[in-house]
Amino acid sequence: LLPVAGKPMLEHIIERAKLEGFSRFVLAIHYLGHMIEDHFGNGERLGVQINYLREQSPLGTAGALGLLNPRPEAAFVVTNGDVITDIRYGELLDFHIRHDADATMAVRVHEWQHPFGVVQTKGVEIVGFEEKPVARSHINAGIYALEPDALSLLSTDDHCDMPTLFERLQAKAKRTVAYPMHEPWLDVGRSDDLLTANKV
C-alpha cells in the first residue's frame, strides 16, 4: 500500500470518487493483495462497496478487466492505483458519454525544456538556433472511461495494457478519444513524484 501523506493511496482515490457519487469499486490485486484486502475489506468502513479481481499473474491494467464477472452494464471509470490527482471522475465519464466513445483516455500536457541551446543544421551549414526549446506532448494520465463492449477484446488471463486495448479498439474502427485534463496530477510510481506527494 503506497502511503501518501500518511494514508494509503488507494484510499485517496476511493474517497475522491466517493465525493462525486461513486459507490462501487473493484480493485485488481496481485502482489501483496492480501494486505489491500485486509485494509479495505468490503468497503464498509469507507461507506462504499469493494470487490476484488485476484490476478494469479500480473495481467496489466486492461488485462485485469478481463476477469470482471459479471461485466458492467454501463460505461465505467478505470484508474491506475499509482496516480494521485484532483481529476473529476464524473466529468470524465460525462465527456466519454457525450462524445459517444468506446474508450476515453485522460491525457495531460507534459512540458520538457531542453537543457541546452539547439543548433539547427542542413548538412554542415548552420541554419538556425533555438535557445533551450520547450517540447510539449500529451501523455497518458492512467485514467480511463470504457464501454462494457470494450471488454470483449480481452481474454481471461491475457496480459494487456491500456494502450494495447485502445489499439485493438482502433483496429476495429471503434471510437477512442482523449480527455484533456488540467487538474494536478502525480504518478507516484515514479520515486520523485512519490516524494512530492508526501510533502502535500
Side-chain angles (χ1 to χ4, degrees):
L1 291 173
L2 281 174
V4 175
K7 185 181 291 188
M9 227 187 108
L10 284 173
E11 198 161 320
H12 279 271
I13 293 171
I14 290 169
E15 287 179 347
R16 277 205 55 78
K18 181 186 172 187
L19 288 174
E20 295 188 50
F22 290 85
S23 61
R24 296 179 61 196
F25 299 83
V26 179
L27 306 182
I29 56 175
H30 174 57
Y31 178 65
L32 299 181
H34 64 281
M35 293 177 63
I36 295 172
E37 284 197 69
D38 288 347
H39 182 82
F40 290 105
N42 63 6
E44 185 177 2
R45 178 176 59 83
L46 297 175
V48 299
Q49 177 186 333
I50 297 177
N51 296 103
Y52 298 91
L53 301 177
R54 298 172 183 85
E55 301 173 67
Q56 298 307 307
S57 60
L59 296 175
T61 304
L65 300 177
L67 300 174
L68 280 170
N69 186 16
R71 292 187 169 176
E73 296 178 359
F76 60 99
V77 173
V78 178
T79 180
N80 290 356
D82 58 359
V83 295
I84 188 163
T85 177
D86 291 337
I87 191 173
R88 300 278 185 174
Y89 298 108
E91 289 181 11
L92 167 64
L93 200 54
D94 289 344
F95 178 93
H96 168 82
I97 293 167
R98 192 166 64 249
H99 286 82
D100 195 26
D102 292 282
T104 300
M105 178 184 292
V107 299
R108 184 174 169 79
V109 172
H110 178 72
E111 294 186 349
W112 179 80
Q113 183 166 30
H114 203 295
F116 306 105
V118 173
V119 180
Q120 298 161 343
T121 60
K122 185 174 184 180
V124 296
E125 300 292 325
I126 294 175
V127 297
F129 300 93
E130 199 171 358
E131 186 58 34
K132 298 183 180 178
V134 175
R136 292 179 179 84
S137 56
H138 284 103
I139 61 168
N140 178 358
I143 306 164
Y144 317 87
L146 297 176
E147 288 298 313
D149 285 350
L151 302 180
S152 65
L153 299 179
L154 300 170
S155 302
T156 304
D157 295 330
D158 173 34
H159 185 278
C160 183
D161 56 28
M162 288 301 279
T164 299
L165 177 58
F166 273 68
E167 288 170 353
R168 291 179 184 177
L169 288 163
Q170 290 165 349
K172 298 282 188 182
K174 299 295 186 180
R175 183 167 167 80
T176 59
V177 301
Y179 172 78
M181 62 172 289
H182 308 284
E183 296 86 355
W185 174 89
L186 288 172
D187 174 0
V188 300
R190 293 164 19 105
S191 57
D192 288 351
D193 283 352
L194 177 58
L195 290 173
T196 301
N198 275 304
K199 291 176 184 173
V200 175

